[in-house]
Amino acid sequence: EAVSKALGTGMAAGVGWTQIEVVQPGGRVPTLRLTDRALEIFTAKGATTSHLTLSHDGGLAVACVVLEG
């Protein structure tokens, strides 16, 4: 959801859950992998990189996404 908001679409305009993946290999910094329409919008906005932070506590979670470019 944080990614779709950063893209400016929300979960609409052809952007769906399966186009956004959080990758966290071996406990390193989480990154985003975008495909299909989500990637098209990312590129069209002139974004070249993304930053993702995740946190959780007591059954609640929060994510923040910043697009840069």
Side-chain angles (χ1 to χ4, degrees):
E1 184 180 8
V3 174
S4 67
K5 288 180 179 178
L7 292 172
T9 62
M11 297 310 284
V15 176
W17 296 111
T18 59
Q19 300 169 19
I20 302 166
E21 181 180 4
V22 175
V23 180
Q24 191 173 19
R28 291 182 285 181
V29 174
T31 60
L32 294 171
R33 182 178 299 149
L34 305 178
T35 60
D36 302 322
R37 185 70 180 135
L39 180 58
E40 290 173 12
I41 294 169
F42 177 87
T43 303
K45 287 187 167 293
T48 55
T49 191
S50 62
H51 305 277
L52 167 65
T53 183
L54 301 168
S55 184
H56 62 89
D57 185 39
L60 301 174
V62 64
C64 181
V65 173
V66 174
L67 304 182
E68 183 179 358

